[in-house]
Amino acid sequence: MFNINNILRENIKNLTPYSSARDEYQGEASVFLDANENAYGSPLEQQFNRYPDPLQYQVKKRLSEIKGVPPRNIFLGNGSDEAIDILFRSFCNPGVDNVILVPPTYGMYKVSANINDVETRNVPLTAEFQLNMEGIAEAIDKNTKLIFICSPNNPTGNSIDRADVETLLTNFDGLVVVDEAYINFSRQKTFIQELTEYANLVVLQTLSKAWGLAGLRIGMAFASEEIIEVMNKVKPPYNINEASQQLALQALENIEQVNSWIKETLLQRDNLVLGLKDYDFVIDIYPSDANFILVKTTDANGIYNFLVEKGIIVRNRSKVELCEGCLRITVGTPNENKLLLATLQNFK
Ligand SMILES: *Cc1c(COP(=O)(O)O)cnc(C)c1O
């Protein structure tokens, strides 16, 4: 049975978190002389002289309406990359604990593990880019704290079988982290609605992809209240700056714009697949639930360099295991996609 106290690091269990001036005073007041801010203002039209809300209540309230999850089950990070790092720092003892990764997958899990001196146990995906469930079961031991599942997966683009993720959630006593950075492009259901079912589920999403806000750096983690409380204790007190909070609130009023971009992206993705599949150098295009496609080619390096010369940058994934010969291509605007296809006409 999952019990957060069995996986929490001892130093985090005993941590007294930083208490900011605004944590200590909550209520109505008009004179704030408690935080050593500049009381005169900012040398800007917009005022940023006050510290931002450490728990980003307004943004969470709006996200809560959109996602159908109470604010107390939402953590906001400086990108989902920060949420990933905080999971390591909260639950993994450096030099002792381990996590399961299922490559090829998103690169930050391994980087974050390495920074935190946490062992990674790789259980590669099958040839169909699905979980090797037996391999995962064998790799788990008493020091395994986290399993990272990216679905839709980066860089392969496919979704991971839901039943397999549910099997892990039921049988694993650590946290199952389901990274849904690309969920808005997917036909699959989010795992957010399963939070009440599984105490060991953490769902990651981000405003960086479909929402078009990669520059604001806002990532979300959805989990039980007790997991969110731990993450809030460990995070830097003011991890989402005031400008990002204000702009995110504005952006979150614009769902229709985002939904129409998603529709257009999916149409463009289909066009790109149709356009690419006739080229001689294309061996395979993998089915995608995301805003990119993974294309297996006869000469990934040659095509990559050719495109760079023409000012078009794609991601060369040919050195990644199970991705030999593969380029990852993000779906662009209609003009960008047309230009890509036209340029590739001339690749010999
Ligand atoms: C792009 C991406 C992220 C996003 O990270 P942010 O820090 O929120 O920008 C997270 N996970 C995956 C799998 C990604 O591809």
Side-chain angles (χ1 to χ4, degrees):
M1 264 292 282
F2 174 79
N3 178 340
I4 194 168
N5 287 312
N6 294 340
I7 64 163
L8 200 51
R9 289 174 66 187
E10 216 42 48
N11 60 314
I12 302 300
K13 211 182 284 178
N14 301 326
L15 179 71
T16 306
Y18 177 73
S19 177
S20 69
R22 294 296 125 78
D23 284 332
E24 287 181 6
Y25 174 79
Q26 290 185 336
E28 295 298 313
S30 55
V31 180
F32 287 101
L33 304 177
D34 57 349
N36 299 345
E37 298 149 336
N38 181 339
Y40 298 88
S42 317
L44 288 171
E45 206 165 304
Q46 218 182 332
Q47 297 298 297
F48 292 106
N49 56 323
R50 300 298 178 182
Y51 279 99
D53 175 2
L55 292 174
Q56 310 100 13
Y57 188 71
Q58 294 302 323
V59 182
K60 285 182 187 169
K61 199 170 95 193
R62 182 71 190 115
L63 281 171
S64 158
E65 293 165 5
I66 295 173
K67 303 286 178 184
V69 175
R72 64 178 181 277
N73 295 111
I74 306 176
F75 167 89
L76 295 185
N78 186 355
S80 23
D81 289 350
E82 185 178 52
I84 293 166
D85 180 65
I86 285 173
L87 289 170
F88 278 102
R89 289 199 280 151
S90 304
F91 298 104
C92 300
N93 291 296
V96 176
D97 291 331
N98 67 73
V99 302
I100 309 277
L101 305 184
V102 292
T105 192
Y106 184 48
M108 268 315 283
Y109 314 139
K110 188 183 174 73
V111 173
S112 217
N114 288 345
I115 290 170
N116 288 288
D117 191 20
V118 171
E119 180 197 347
T120 55
R121 300 192 168 180
N122 284 338
V123 183
L125 295 175
T126 64
E128 291 75 41
F129 299 141
Q130 291 299 329
L131 299 179
N132 170 356
M133 294 297 282
E134 277 176 29
I136 291 174
E138 277 167 28
I140 292 171
D141 70 8
K142 65 178 188 350
N143 293 321
T144 305
K145 297 298 187 70
L146 313 171
I147 301 178
F148 285 91
I149 309 290
C150 185
S151 183
N153 188 36
N154 178 3
T156 58
N158 65 296
S159 298
I160 302 299
D161 283 345
R162 196 176 184 88
D164 284 348
V165 179
E166 286 169 351
T167 301
L168 292 178
L169 282 164
T170 305
N171 295 303
F172 178 53
D173 289 336
L175 298 183
V176 178
V177 183
V178 182
D179 187 341
E180 297 186 336
Y182 300 98
I183 194 69
N184 309 67
F185 303 103
S186 174
R187 289 155 297 168
Q188 306 296 317
K189 242 177 45 197
T190 169
F191 266 91
I192 284 187
Q193 265 69 51
E194 312 303 320
L195 287 175
T196 44
E197 196 75 25
Y198 302 107
N200 59 340
L201 170 63
V202 178
V203 179
L204 301 180
Q205 293 188 3
T206 179
L207 297 186
S208 296
K209 304 287 156 66
W211 277 92
L213 299 169
L216 290 192
R217 310 306 305 130
I218 297 187
M220 306 161 256
F222 303 90
S224 72
E225 200 171 347
E226 55 182 8
I227 295 172
I228 297 297
E229 271 173 13
V230 169
M231 295 179 77
N232 282 335
K233 220 162 87 156
V234 173
K235 80 179 182 69
Y238 303 109
N239 61 329
I240 311 287
N241 69 67
E242 179 64 25
S244 288
Q245 291 192 42
Q246 287 185 18
L247 291 169
L249 256 183
Q250 276 180 44
L252 291 169
E253 292 305 319
N254 246 325
I255 300 190
E256 276 101 58
Q257 170 70 84
V258 173
N259 283 339
S260 84
W261 278 330
I262 292 169
K263 257 199 216 139
E264 177 66 22
T265 301
L266 299 186
L267 281 176
Q268 287 295 319
R269 184 182 71 195
D270 292 347
N271 282 345
L272 208 50
V273 171
L274 283 178
L276 283 169
K277 78 180 176 26
D278 292 330
Y279 290 119
D280 290 342
F281 53 79
V282 171
I283 299 171
D284 206 356
I285 304 172
Y286 298 100
S288 171
D289 271 337
N291 65 338
F292 59 83
I293 48 176
L294 188 71
V295 185
K296 195 179 191 66
T297 68
T298 53
D299 181 11
N301 293 333
I303 298 165
Y304 176 82
N305 291 328
F306 173 80
L307 287 174
V308 168
E309 254 172 56
K310 310 287 181 194
I312 299 174
I313 314 301
V314 298
R315 196 92 202 265
N316 189 348
R317 299 280 79 186
S318 59
K319 299 272 181 311
V320 173
E321 71 179 304
L322 297 178
C323 297
E324 294 78 16
C326 287
L327 298 171
R328 192 193 70 192
I329 304 176
T330 307
V331 178
T333 63
N335 278 336
E336 289 172 338
N337 302 330
K338 240 183 266 166
L339 185 64
L340 172 74
L341 289 173
T343 304
L344 284 172
Q345 291 264 357
N346 300 318
F347 178 76
K348 292 280 167 330

